[in-house]
Amino acid sequence: MALAEFLNTLDELAKQATAQFEAAADAVSLEAARVEFLGAKSGRLKDVQKGLGQVDKADKPAAGKRFNEVKQQLETLFSAATKRIANGGCVETASDFDPTIPGKRPVLGHLHPITQTIEELVDIMGRLGFTVAEGPEIEDLWHNFDALNIPLEHPARDPLDNFYLATAETMSGQNKTEPKWMLRSQTSTVQIRVMEKTQPPVRIISLGRVYRPDTADATHYPMFHQIEGLLIDRHVTMADLKSILRLFAESFFEDDVHVRFRPSFFPFTEPSVEVDMSWAGDWIEFGGAGMVDPNVLRAVGYDPEEVSGLAFGLGIERICMRRHGITDIREFYKNDVRFLHQF
Ligand code: PHE
C-alpha cells in the first residue's frame, strides 16, 4: 500500500472520530463512539493499524509516526469529551473559571449525638478533676455483682434481667455450671476495677455501654450508656455528692439546675439515692447515687475507717434526650441520617 493511501484512510477516520466525540451529548453515545473508533478488539483505528503492515517498507516509519499521533489525538479528544459530559456539558477553560461561584459542599459525616454528649461530659468532669477510666463490656460476675455487694440470691442477678453469656463451660454438662461471664449491666463494674488497682484518693468517671434485656420502647433500649462517677478520699460526704452533681448539671444544661435526692437502695451504696434534676419546671430522674458501701471498700482492700467515697451512675441517653428534646430513645440507634444530621 502506498503511504498516501494509508494516510488518507487515517485522516478520514480521525475526522469522523473527532466529529463524533465532539457531538456526543451523553455518556452512552460517547461510549458508543469510543467502541467504534478506539475499541481495543475491533475498533476502526485497530483496523487501520492492521493496514500498517501493508505499507511499503520504506514508508513504514512515517506511517507509524502519523498513526501514533492520530491515536494520541483521539484519546485526548475522548477524555476531554468525558470531562465535558461529567461537567454537565460545560467545557471548562481557564478563562471562564469563576472563583466567586460558591463551591459544592462535600457531604461530611459527624459524631453521633451520644458521642458528642460523652465528649462534653468528659470535658466538664475533667474540669472538676475527674479522669476517665475504662472497663470491659464483657464482664465477670465478680465485678458486676459480688464485689458490688450484690449477694447470690439478689434479684438483680435474675437471668431475665441480664445478658449472661453461654460459654463452652456452661454449655457442657446440660447447663449445670453457673455462668461466668455477662454483658455488664452497669458501669459500676469499673469502680471495682479501678479500686482494685489504685490506692485512694480516687477520682474517676467511666462512660460506656451497658446491657439489659429490656423490650425497646420510647424510654428503654437493651443497650444504653451510663456515666459513672467515683470519688474516694478522706472525709467525703453526701454534701460533696450533691454539689458535684449540681455543678456538673449546671455546666451541661447551662441553667440553674436543682438536684433532689430521693431515698433508694443499691447494694453497693449506703445511703443510696435516686437523683432527680429540675430546671424550668419538671423533675426528671437521671440515675442513682450514694456513699460507697463499706463492704465494697473492704472488698477491694480499702479501710472504711480511713476513707469514704461517693458514687453516681447516670443515663447518658436521658441526658442527651433532655438536652435536645428527643422523645424516643430508639431514634439514636436507627441510623437514620435525617435524624442524626440534626445534631
Ligand atoms: N449502677 C446503678 C444503676 O445502674 C447506678 C448507681 C451508680 C447507683 C453508682 C449508685 C452509685 O442503676
mmCIF file of all heavy atoms in Angstrom, residues 233-282:
data_model
loop_
_atom_site.group_PDB
_atom_site.id
_atom_site.type_symbol
_atom_site.label_atom_id
_atom_site.label_comp_id
_atom_site.label_asym_id
_atom_site.label_seq_id
_atom_site.Cartn_x
_atom_site.Cartn_y
_atom_site.Cartn_z
ATOM 1 N N ASP A 233 -11.866 9.376 99.113
ATOM 2 C CA ASP A 233 -10.838 10.173 99.795
ATOM 3 C C ASP A 233 -11.193 10.194 101.286
ATOM 4 O O ASP A 233 -12.200 9.612 101.690
ATOM 5 C CB ASP A 233 -10.820 11.601 99.211
ATOM 6 C CG ASP A 233 -9.432 12.232 99.322
ATOM 7 O OD1 ASP A 233 -8.642 11.797 100.180
ATOM 8 O OD2 ASP A 233 -9.159 13.163 98.555
ATOM 9 N N ARG A 234 -10.408 10.897 102.046
ATOM 10 C CA ARG A 234 -10.800 11.089 103.450
ATOM 11 C C ARG A 234 -11.944 12.103 103.499
ATOM 12 O O ARG A 234 -11.947 13.057 102.721
ATOM 13 C CB ARG A 234 -9.630 11.655 104.244
ATOM 14 C CG ARG A 234 -8.542 10.664 104.479
ATOM 15 C CD ARG A 234 -7.329 11.370 105.067
ATOM 16 N NE ARG A 234 -6.154 10.527 104.942
ATOM 17 C CZ ARG A 234 -5.854 9.554 105.802
ATOM 18 N NH1 ARG A 234 -6.615 9.325 106.856
ATOM 19 N NH2 ARG A 234 -4.790 8.807 105.613
ATOM 20 N N HIS A 235 -12.886 11.888 104.398
ATOM 21 C CA HIS A 235 -13.948 12.856 104.695
ATOM 22 C C HIS A 235 -14.826 13.225 103.498
ATOM 23 O O HIS A 235 -15.228 14.367 103.363
ATOM 24 C CB HIS A 235 -13.365 14.152 105.289
ATOM 25 C CG HIS A 235 -12.322 13.917 106.329
ATOM 26 N ND1 HIS A 235 -12.586 13.198 107.467
ATOM 27 C CD2 HIS A 235 -11.016 14.281 106.383
ATOM 28 C CE1 HIS A 235 -11.483 13.136 108.202
ATOM 29 N NE2 HIS A 235 -10.514 13.783 107.560
ATOM 30 N N VAL A 236 -15.091 12.296 102.624
ATOM 31 C CA VAL A 236 -16.035 12.582 101.532
ATOM 32 C C VAL A 236 -17.443 12.415 102.079
ATOM 33 O O VAL A 236 -17.726 11.454 102.800
ATOM 34 C CB VAL A 236 -15.810 11.623 100.345
ATOM 35 C CG1 VAL A 236 -16.829 11.894 99.247
ATOM 36 C CG2 VAL A 236 -14.390 11.764 99.812
ATOM 37 N N THR A 237 -18.334 13.347 101.752
ATOM 38 C CA THR A 237 -19.689 13.298 102.320
ATOM 39 C C THR A 237 -20.769 13.426 101.243
ATOM 40 O O THR A 237 -20.474 13.723 100.088
ATOM 41 C CB THR A 237 -19.913 14.459 103.316
ATOM 42 O OG1 THR A 237 -19.944 15.676 102.544
ATOM 43 C CG2 THR A 237 -18.826 14.523 104.357
ATOM 44 N N MET A 238 -22.025 13.214 101.670
ATOM 45 C CA MET A 238 -23.176 13.394 100.780
ATOM 46 C C MET A 238 -23.234 14.807 100.222
ATOM 47 O O MET A 238 -23.734 15.025 99.117
ATOM 48 C CB MET A 238 -24.483 13.126 101.544
ATOM 49 C CG MET A 238 -24.789 11.709 101.860
ATOM 50 S SD MET A 238 -25.242 10.720 100.425
ATOM 51 C CE MET A 238 -27.013 10.889 100.368
ATOM 52 N N ALA A 239 -22.746 15.764 101.007
ATOM 53 C CA ALA A 239 -22.774 17.155 100.532
ATOM 54 C C ALA A 239 -21.885 17.300 99.295
ATOM 55 O O ALA A 239 -22.231 18.012 98.346
ATOM 56 C CB ALA A 239 -22.306 18.097 101.636
ATOM 57 N N ASP A 240 -20.743 16.584 99.305
ATOM 58 C CA ASP A 240 -19.881 16.613 98.119
ATOM 59 C C ASP A 240 -20.610 16.022 96.921
ATOM 60 O O ASP A 240 -20.530 16.540 95.806
ATOM 61 C CB ASP A 240 -18.592 15.808 98.377
ATOM 62 C CG ASP A 240 -17.782 16.393 99.520
ATOM 63 O OD1 ASP A 240 -17.628 17.623 99.546
ATOM 64 O OD2 ASP A 240 -17.337 15.621 100.390
ATOM 65 N N LEU A 241 -21.315 14.913 97.190
ATOM 66 C CA LEU A 241 -22.042 14.246 96.109
ATOM 67 C C LEU A 241 -23.027 15.212 95.459
ATOM 68 O O LEU A 241 -23.081 15.369 94.243
ATOM 69 C CB LEU A 241 -22.785 13.025 96.682
ATOM 70 C CG LEU A 241 -23.682 12.258 95.728
ATOM 71 C CD1 LEU A 241 -22.893 11.697 94.556
ATOM 72 C CD2 LEU A 241 -24.403 11.115 96.454
ATOM 73 N N LYS A 242 -23.778 15.899 96.309
ATOM 74 C CA LYS A 242 -24.813 16.777 95.773
ATOM 75 C C LYS A 242 -24.197 17.964 95.037
ATOM 76 O O LYS A 242 -24.658 18.343 93.958
ATOM 77 C CB LYS A 242 -25.728 17.267 96.895
ATOM 78 C CG LYS A 242 -27.075 17.688 96.382
ATOM 79 C CD LYS A 242 -28.063 17.813 97.533
ATOM 80 C CE LYS A 242 -29.483 17.933 97.016
ATOM 81 N NZ LYS A 242 -30.453 18.004 98.089
ATOM 82 N N SER A 243 -23.132 18.514 95.592
ATOM 83 C CA SER A 243 -22.580 19.689 94.899
ATOM 84 C C SER A 243 -21.879 19.315 93.598
ATOM 85 O O SER A 243 -21.966 20.052 92.623
ATOM 86 C CB SER A 243 -21.685 20.540 95.799
ATOM 87 O OG SER A 243 -21.025 19.760 96.727
ATOM 88 N N ILE A 244 -21.253 18.143 93.571
ATOM 89 C CA ILE A 244 -20.622 17.717 92.307
ATOM 90 C C ILE A 244 -21.695 17.518 91.233
ATOM 91 O O ILE A 244 -21.563 17.998 90.104
ATOM 92 C CB ILE A 244 -19.807 16.418 92.513
ATOM 93 C CG1 ILE A 244 -18.533 16.737 93.292
ATOM 94 C CG2 ILE A 244 -19.463 15.774 91.175
ATOM 95 C CD1 ILE A 244 -17.750 15.527 93.722
ATOM 96 N N LEU A 245 -22.791 16.833 91.616
ATOM 97 C CA LEU A 245 -23.849 16.594 90.636
ATOM 98 C C LEU A 245 -24.467 17.901 90.160
ATOM 99 O O LEU A 245 -24.795 18.077 88.992
ATOM 100 C CB LEU A 245 -24.927 15.675 91.222
ATOM 101 C CG LEU A 245 -24.495 14.207 91.350
ATOM 102 C CD1 LEU A 245 -25.521 13.404 92.138
ATOM 103 C CD2 LEU A 245 -24.290 13.577 89.968
ATOM 104 N N ARG A 246 -24.583 18.831 91.080
ATOM 105 C CA ARG A 246 -25.207 20.095 90.711
ATOM 106 C C ARG A 246 -24.290 20.910 89.790
ATOM 107 O O ARG A 246 -24.734 21.421 88.764
ATOM 108 C CB ARG A 246 -25.536 20.884 91.978
ATOM 109 C CG ARG A 246 -26.258 22.142 91.650
ATOM 110 C CD ARG A 246 -27.117 22.657 92.773
ATOM 111 N NE ARG A 246 -27.769 23.858 92.287
ATOM 112 C CZ ARG A 246 -28.004 24.922 93.007
ATOM 113 N NH1 ARG A 246 -27.671 24.915 94.276
ATOM 114 N NH2 ARG A 246 -28.581 25.963 92.482
ATOM 115 N N LEU A 247 -23.026 20.977 90.137
ATOM 116 C CA LEU A 247 -22.064 21.684 89.282
ATOM 117 C C LEU A 247 -22.040 21.091 87.885
ATOM 118 O O LEU A 247 -22.040 21.792 86.868
ATOM 119 C CB LEU A 247 -20.656 21.558 89.863
ATOM 120 C CG LEU A 247 -20.227 22.563 90.905
ATOM 121 C CD1 LEU A 247 -18.872 22.166 91.474
ATOM 122 C CD2 LEU A 247 -20.147 23.943 90.262
ATOM 123 N N PHE A 248 -22.017 19.764 87.874
ATOM 124 C CA PHE A 248 -21.973 19.022 86.630
ATOM 125 C C PHE A 248 -23.205 19.335 85.776
ATOM 126 O O PHE A 248 -23.110 19.691 84.594
ATOM 127 C CB PHE A 248 -21.899 17.544 87.022
ATOM 128 C CG PHE A 248 -22.291 16.575 85.978
ATOM 129 C CD1 PHE A 248 -21.462 16.330 84.901
ATOM 130 C CD2 PHE A 248 -23.488 15.868 86.076
ATOM 131 C CE1 PHE A 248 -21.821 15.403 83.933
ATOM 132 C CE2 PHE A 248 -23.842 14.950 85.122
ATOM 133 C CZ PHE A 248 -23.014 14.721 84.043
ATOM 134 N N ALA A 249 -24.386 19.271 86.393
ATOM 135 C CA ALA A 249 -25.624 19.503 85.646
ATOM 136 C C ALA A 249 -25.725 20.954 85.175
ATOM 137 O O ALA A 249 -26.180 21.230 84.067
ATOM 138 C CB ALA A 249 -26.823 19.142 86.517
ATOM 139 N N GLU A 250 -25.281 21.872 86.009
ATOM 140 C CA GLU A 250 -25.379 23.285 85.608
ATOM 141 C C GLU A 250 -24.447 23.575 84.445
ATOM 142 O O GLU A 250 -24.770 24.353 83.560
ATOM 143 C CB GLU A 250 -25.091 24.196 86.797
ATOM 144 C CG GLU A 250 -26.239 24.158 87.797
ATOM 145 C CD GLU A 250 -26.132 25.210 88.881
ATOM 146 O OE1 GLU A 250 -25.013 25.690 89.141
ATOM 147 O OE2 GLU A 250 -27.183 25.536 89.470
ATOM 148 N N SER A 251 -23.277 22.946 84.440
ATOM 149 C CA SER A 251 -22.372 23.154 83.312
ATOM 150 C C SER A 251 -22.959 22.557 82.043
ATOM 151 O O SER A 251 -22.889 23.143 80.981
ATOM 152 C CB SER A 251 -21.016 22.493 83.539
ATOM 153 O OG SER A 251 -20.498 22.869 84.748
ATOM 154 N N PHE A 252 -23.536 21.375 82.164
ATOM 155 C CA PHE A 252 -24.028 20.720 80.959
ATOM 156 C C PHE A 252 -25.276 21.393 80.408
ATOM 157 O O PHE A 252 -25.378 21.650 79.216
ATOM 158 C CB PHE A 252 -24.299 19.231 81.219
ATOM 159 C CG PHE A 252 -24.675 18.505 79.965
ATOM 160 C CD1 PHE A 252 -23.688 18.039 79.100
ATOM 161 C CD2 PHE A 252 -26.015 18.312 79.611
ATOM 162 C CE1 PHE A 252 -24.024 17.400 77.910
ATOM 163 C CE2 PHE A 252 -26.355 17.674 78.428
ATOM 164 C CZ PHE A 252 -25.362 17.214 77.580
ATOM 165 N N PHE A 253 -26.231 21.664 81.270
ATOM 166 C CA PHE A 253 -27.507 22.212 80.787
ATOM 167 C C PHE A 253 -27.508 23.731 80.736
ATOM 168 O O PHE A 253 -28.473 24.341 80.304
ATOM 169 C CB PHE A 253 -28.669 21.692 81.634
ATOM 170 C CG PHE A 253 -28.900 20.217 81.469
ATOM 171 C CD1 PHE A 253 -28.620 19.332 82.492
ATOM 172 C CD2 PHE A 253 -29.382 19.705 80.274
ATOM 173 C CE1 PHE A 253 -28.827 17.970 82.335
ATOM 174 C CE2 PHE A 253 -29.592 18.349 80.106
ATOM 175 C CZ PHE A 253 -29.313 17.480 81.142
ATOM 176 N N GLU A 254 -26.425 24.324 81.183
ATOM 177 C CA GLU A 254 -26.280 25.782 81.164
ATOM 178 C C GLU A 254 -27.517 26.461 81.726
ATOM 179 O O GLU A 254 -28.132 27.319 81.091
ATOM 180 C CB GLU A 254 -25.997 26.258 79.728
ATOM 181 C CG GLU A 254 -24.640 25.776 79.260
ATOM 182 C CD GLU A 254 -24.380 26.037 77.792
ATOM 183 O OE1 GLU A 254 -25.373 26.156 77.043
ATOM 184 O OE2 GLU A 254 -23.207 26.129 77.416
ATOM 185 N N ASP A 255 -27.920 25.989 82.893
ATOM 186 C CA ASP A 255 -29.102 26.549 83.530
ATOM 187 C C ASP A 255 -28.932 26.398 85.039
ATOM 188 O O ASP A 255 -28.007 25.742 85.503
ATOM 189 C CB ASP A 255 -30.349 25.786 83.049
ATOM 190 C CG ASP A 255 -31.570 26.681 83.036
ATOM 191 O OD1 ASP A 255 -31.621 27.625 83.858
ATOM 192 O OD2 ASP A 255 -32.458 26.447 82.212
ATOM 193 N N ASP A 256 -29.852 26.991 85.766
ATOM 194 C CA ASP A 256 -29.819 26.908 87.214
ATOM 195 C C ASP A 256 -30.504 25.605 87.635
ATOM 196 O O ASP A 256 -31.702 25.582 87.881
ATOM 197 C CB ASP A 256 -30.554 28.139 87.771
ATOM 198 C CG ASP A 256 -30.463 28.194 89.280
ATOM 199 O OD1 ASP A 256 -29.611 27.480 89.848
ATOM 200 O OD2 ASP A 256 -31.250 28.944 89.872
ATOM 201 N N VAL A 257 -29.741 24.521 87.683
ATOM 202 C CA VAL A 257 -30.336 23.204 87.895
ATOM 203 C C VAL A 257 -30.409 22.877 89.389
ATOM 204 O O VAL A 257 -29.454 23.098 90.123
ATOM 205 C CB VAL A 257 -29.516 22.112 87.173
ATOM 206 C CG1 VAL A 257 -30.159 20.751 87.366
ATOM 207 C CG2 VAL A 257 -29.370 22.431 85.700
ATOM 208 N N HIS A 258 -31.563 22.354 89.803
ATOM 209 C CA HIS A 258 -31.694 21.901 91.187
ATOM 210 C C HIS A 258 -31.576 20.394 91.220
ATOM 211 O O HIS A 258 -32.074 19.714 90.322
ATOM 212 C CB HIS A 258 -33.042 22.328 91.760
ATOM 213 C CG HIS A 258 -33.199 23.814 91.763
ATOM 214 N ND1 HIS A 258 -32.726 24.604 92.764
ATOM 215 C CD2 HIS A 258 -33.713 24.645 90.829
ATOM 216 C CE1 HIS A 258 -32.952 25.872 92.469
ATOM 217 N NE2 HIS A 258 -33.553 25.923 91.295
ATOM 218 N N VAL A 259 -30.903 19.887 92.253
ATOM 219 C CA VAL A 259 -30.728 18.446 92.379
ATOM 220 C C VAL A 259 -31.510 17.983 93.599
ATOM 221 O O VAL A 259 -31.441 18.601 94.653
ATOM 222 C CB VAL A 259 -29.236 18.094 92.535
ATOM 223 C CG1 VAL A 259 -29.072 16.604 92.807
ATOM 224 C CG2 VAL A 259 -28.459 18.497 91.290
ATOM 225 N N ARG A 260 -32.273 16.912 93.411
ATOM 226 C CA ARG A 260 -33.065 16.375 94.527
ATOM 227 C C ARG A 260 -32.683 14.912 94.722
ATOM 228 O O ARG A 260 -32.535 14.170 93.752
ATOM 229 C CB ARG A 260 -34.541 16.474 94.153
ATOM 230 C CG ARG A 260 -35.492 15.870 95.154
ATOM 231 C CD ARG A 260 -36.932 16.171 94.785
ATOM 232 N NE ARG A 260 -37.451 15.277 93.745
ATOM 233 C CZ ARG A 260 -38.678 15.360 93.260
ATOM 234 N NH1 ARG A 260 -39.506 16.315 93.662
ATOM 235 N NH2 ARG A 260 -39.091 14.521 92.328
ATOM 236 N N PHE A 261 -32.485 14.530 95.975
ATOM 237 C CA PHE A 261 -32.203 13.131 96.295
ATOM 238 C C PHE A 261 -33.452 12.480 96.865
ATOM 239 O O PHE A 261 -34.072 13.029 97.782
ATOM 240 C CB PHE A 261 -31.095 13.027 97.355
ATOM 241 C CG PHE A 261 -29.710 13.309 96.809
ATOM 242 C CD1 PHE A 261 -28.643 13.489 97.684
ATOM 243 C CD2 PHE A 261 -29.469 13.367 95.446
ATOM 244 C CE1 PHE A 261 -27.367 13.730 97.199
ATOM 245 C CE2 PHE A 261 -28.187 13.610 94.959
ATOM 246 C CZ PHE A 261 -27.139 13.793 95.831
ATOM 247 N N ARG A 262 -33.816 11.315 96.335
ATOM 248 C CA ARG A 262 -34.892 10.525 96.935
ATOM 249 C C ARG A 262 -34.270 9.259 97.495
ATOM 250 O O ARG A 262 -33.449 8.634 96.814
ATOM 251 C CB ARG A 262 -35.936 10.151 95.882
ATOM 252 C CG ARG A 262 -36.988 11.222 95.686
ATOM 253 C CD ARG A 262 -37.978 10.826 94.597
ATOM 254 N NE ARG A 262 -37.330 10.705 93.302
ATOM 255 C CZ ARG A 262 -37.310 9.585 92.591
ATOM 256 N NH1 ARG A 262 -37.883 8.483 93.052
ATOM 257 N NH2 ARG A 262 -36.703 9.551 91.415
ATOM 258 N N PRO A 263 -34.641 8.870 98.734
ATOM 259 C CA PRO A 263 -34.049 7.672 99.327
ATOM 260 C C PRO A 263 -34.275 6.468 98.428
ATOM 261 O O PRO A 263 -35.337 6.326 97.831
ATOM 262 C CB PRO A 263 -34.801 7.489 100.639
ATOM 263 C CG PRO A 263 -35.485 8.786 100.893
ATOM 264 C CD PRO A 263 -35.674 9.471 99.587
ATOM 265 N N SER A 264 -33.261 5.624 98.323
ATOM 266 C CA SER A 264 -33.382 4.464 97.455
ATOM 267 C C SER A 264 -32.504 3.355 98.005
ATOM 268 O O SER A 264 -32.012 3.457 99.136
ATOM 269 C CB SER A 264 -32.933 4.850 96.046
ATOM 270 O OG SER A 264 -33.147 3.772 95.155
ATOM 271 N N PHE A 265 -32.314 2.309 97.226
ATOM 272 C CA PHE A 265 -31.428 1.249 97.690
ATOM 273 C C PHE A 265 -30.581 0.719 96.548
ATOM 274 O O PHE A 265 -31.085 0.368 95.485
ATOM 275 C CB PHE A 265 -32.222 0.085 98.298
ATOM 276 C CG PHE A 265 -31.325 -1.051 98.684
ATOM 277 C CD1 PHE A 265 -30.593 -0.997 99.864
ATOM 278 C CD2 PHE A 265 -31.150 -2.135 97.838
ATOM 279 C CE1 PHE A 265 -29.725 -2.027 100.201
ATOM 280 C CE2 PHE A 265 -30.279 -3.173 98.178
ATOM 281 C CZ PHE A 265 -29.567 -3.108 99.365
ATOM 282 N N PHE A 266 -29.282 0.711 96.737
ATOM 283 C CA PHE A 266 -28.365 -0.044 95.878
ATOM 284 C C PHE A 266 -27.461 -0.823 96.826
ATOM 285 O O PHE A 266 -27.039 -0.276 97.860
ATOM 286 C CB PHE A 266 -27.500 0.884 95.018
ATOM 287 C CG PHE A 266 -28.306 1.737 94.068
ATOM 288 C CD1 PHE A 266 -28.545 3.080 94.355
ATOM 289 C CD2 PHE A 266 -28.835 1.196 92.900
ATOM 290 C CE1 PHE A 266 -29.294 3.870 93.499
ATOM 291 C CE2 PHE A 266 -29.594 1.982 92.032
ATOM 292 C CZ PHE A 266 -29.821 3.318 92.328
ATOM 293 N N PRO A 267 -27.185 -2.071 96.502
ATOM 294 C CA PRO A 267 -26.382 -2.880 97.434
ATOM 295 C C PRO A 267 -24.986 -2.301 97.654
ATOM 296 O O PRO A 267 -24.357 -2.575 98.673
ATOM 297 C CB PRO A 267 -26.288 -4.244 96.727
ATOM 298 C CG PRO A 267 -27.424 -4.261 95.760
ATOM 299 C CD PRO A 267 -27.630 -2.846 95.337
ATOM 300 N N PHE A 268 -24.494 -1.497 96.697
ATOM 301 C CA PHE A 268 -23.100 -1.035 96.781
ATOM 302 C C PHE A 268 -22.972 0.372 97.345
ATOM 303 O O PHE A 268 -21.868 0.899 97.423
ATOM 304 C CB PHE A 268 -22.416 -1.137 95.417
ATOM 305 C CG PHE A 268 -23.320 -0.790 94.259
ATOM 306 C CD1 PHE A 268 -23.381 0.505 93.779
ATOM 307 C CD2 PHE A 268 -24.124 -1.766 93.682
ATOM 308 C CE1 PHE A 268 -24.226 0.819 92.725
ATOM 309 C CE2 PHE A 268 -24.975 -1.458 92.626
ATOM 310 C CZ PHE A 268 -25.030 -0.166 92.147
ATOM 311 N N THR A 269 -24.096 1.013 97.703
ATOM 312 C CA THR A 269 -24.005 2.326 98.347
ATOM 313 C C THR A 269 -24.892 2.352 99.588
ATOM 314 O O THR A 269 -25.927 1.694 99.646
ATOM 315 C CB THR A 269 -24.446 3.454 97.381
ATOM 316 O OG1 THR A 269 -25.642 3.064 96.718
ATOM 317 C CG2 THR A 269 -23.374 3.768 96.363
ATOM 318 N N GLU A 270 -24.473 3.123 100.558
ATOM 319 C CA GLU A 270 -25.264 3.277 101.792
ATOM 320 C C GLU A 270 -24.903 4.606 102.432
ATOM 321 O O GLU A 270 -23.749 4.780 102.827
ATOM 322 C CB GLU A 270 -24.980 2.105 102.727
ATOM 323 C CG GLU A 270 -25.745 2.160 104.024
ATOM 324 C CD GLU A 270 -27.256 2.180 103.823
ATOM 325 O OE1 GLU A 270 -27.732 1.529 102.871
ATOM 326 O OE2 GLU A 270 -27.945 2.873 104.576
ATOM 327 N N PRO A 271 -25.762 5.586 102.520
ATOM 328 C CA PRO A 271 -27.124 5.551 101.964
ATOM 329 C C PRO A 271 -27.118 5.650 100.442
ATOM 330 O O PRO A 271 -26.140 6.082 99.845
ATOM 331 C CB PRO A 271 -27.771 6.798 102.590
ATOM 332 C CG PRO A 271 -26.642 7.696 102.931
ATOM 333 C CD PRO A 271 -25.471 6.834 103.212
ATOM 334 N N SER A 272 -28.276 5.272 99.850
ATOM 335 C CA SER A 272 -28.441 5.314 98.398
ATOM 336 C C SER A 272 -29.562 6.283 98.051
ATOM 337 O O SER A 272 -30.518 6.430 98.815
ATOM 338 C CB SER A 272 -28.834 3.944 97.864
ATOM 339 O OG SER A 272 -27.877 2.972 98.188
ATOM 340 N N VAL A 273 -29.433 6.900 96.906
ATOM 341 C CA VAL A 273 -30.473 7.856 96.485
ATOM 342 C C VAL A 273 -30.732 7.740 94.982
ATOM 343 O O VAL A 273 -29.875 7.301 94.220
ATOM 344 C CB VAL A 273 -30.048 9.320 96.783
ATOM 345 C CG1 VAL A 273 -29.967 9.559 98.269
ATOM 346 C CG2 VAL A 273 -28.741 9.678 96.095
ATOM 347 N N GLU A 274 -31.947 8.143 94.602
ATOM 348 C CA GLU A 274 -32.238 8.383 93.193
ATOM 349 C C GLU A 274 -31.970 9.862 92.966
ATOM 350 O O GLU A 274 -32.294 10.692 93.817
ATOM 351 C CB GLU A 274 -33.712 8.109 92.859
ATOM 352 C CG GLU A 274 -34.208 6.717 93.202
ATOM 353 C CD GLU A 274 -33.810 5.655 92.196
ATOM 354 O OE1 GLU A 274 -33.426 6.023 91.059
ATOM 355 O OE2 GLU A 274 -33.864 4.474 92.567
ATOM 356 N N VAL A 275 -31.393 10.196 91.831
ATOM 357 C CA VAL A 275 -31.032 11.584 91.551
ATOM 358 C C VAL A 275 -32.033 12.193 90.567
ATOM 359 O O VAL A 275 -32.160 11.722 89.439
ATOM 360 C CB VAL A 275 -29.624 11.670 90.931
ATOM 361 C CG1 VAL A 275 -29.250 13.119 90.671
ATOM 362 C CG2 VAL A 275 -28.608 10.981 91.823
ATOM 363 N N ASP A 276 -32.746 13.210 91.016
ATOM 364 C CA ASP A 276 -33.642 13.954 90.122
ATOM 365 C C ASP A 276 -33.050 15.330 89.904
ATOM 366 O O ASP A 276 -32.391 15.884 90.785
ATOM 367 C CB ASP A 276 -35.026 14.137 90.756
ATOM 368 C CG ASP A 276 -35.729 12.825 91.023
ATOM 369 O OD1 ASP A 276 -35.359 11.824 90.396
ATOM 370 O OD2 ASP A 276 -36.657 12.821 91.859
ATOM 371 N N MET A 277 -33.309 15.882 88.740
ATOM 372 C CA MET A 277 -32.866 17.249 88.486
ATOM 373 C C MET A 277 -34.031 18.038 87.926
ATOM 374 O O MET A 277 -34.910 17.481 87.264
ATOM 375 C CB MET A 277 -31.711 17.259 87.495
ATOM 376 C CG MET A 277 -30.473 16.575 88.045
ATOM 377 S SD MET A 277 -29.130 16.617 86.882
ATOM 378 C CE MET A 277 -27.972 15.516 87.697
ATOM 379 N N SER A 278 -33.977 19.332 88.188
ATOM 380 C CA SER A 278 -35.084 20.166 87.734
ATOM 381 C C SER A 278 -34.590 21.534 87.337
ATOM 382 O O SER A 278 -33.711 22.111 87.982
ATOM 383 C CB SER A 278 -36.103 20.297 88.863
ATOM 384 O OG SER A 278 -36.845 21.491 88.713
ATOM 385 N N TRP A 279 -35.071 22.022 86.253
ATOM 386 C CA TRP A 279 -34.909 23.408 85.862
ATOM 387 C C TRP A 279 -36.049 23.683 84.929
ATOM 388 O O TRP A 279 -36.571 22.766 84.292
ATOM 389 C CB TRP A 279 -33.547 23.679 85.219
ATOM 390 C CG TRP A 279 -33.307 22.984 83.915
ATOM 391 C CD1 TRP A 279 -33.362 23.522 82.679
ATOM 392 C CD2 TRP A 279 -32.980 21.604 83.741
ATOM 393 N NE1 TRP A 279 -33.088 22.574 81.733
ATOM 394 C CE2 TRP A 279 -32.844 21.383 82.352
ATOM 395 C CE3 TRP A 279 -32.791 20.526 84.611
ATOM 396 C CZ2 TRP A 279 -32.539 20.148 81.816
ATOM 397 C CZ3 TRP A 279 -32.480 19.282 84.054
ATOM 398 C CH2 TRP A 279 -32.348 19.110 82.687
ATOM 399 N N ALA A 280 -36.514 24.884 84.887
ATOM 400 C CA ALA A 280 -37.652 25.225 84.051
ATOM 401 C C ALA A 280 -38.805 24.232 84.255
ATOM 402 O O ALA A 280 -39.363 23.703 83.311
ATOM 403 C CB ALA A 280 -37.234 25.240 82.584
ATOM 404 N N GLY A 281 -39.120 23.900 85.524
ATOM 405 C CA GLY A 281 -40.332 23.093 85.722
ATOM 406 C C GLY A 281 -40.144 21.708 86.282
ATOM 407 O O GLY A 281 -39.873 21.545 87.465
ATOM 408 N N ASP A 282 -40.241 20.686 85.397
ATOM 409 C CA ASP A 282 -40.359 19.296 85.862
ATOM 410 C C ASP A 282 -39.102 18.729 86.532
ATOM 411 O O ASP A 282 -37.995 19.111 86.212
ATOM 412 C CB ASP A 282 -40.642 18.367 84.679
ATOM 413 C CG ASP A 282 -41.730 18.906 83.808
ATOM 414 O OD1 ASP A 282 -42.584 19.635 84.336
ATOM 415 O OD2 ASP A 282 -41.703 18.604 82.591
#
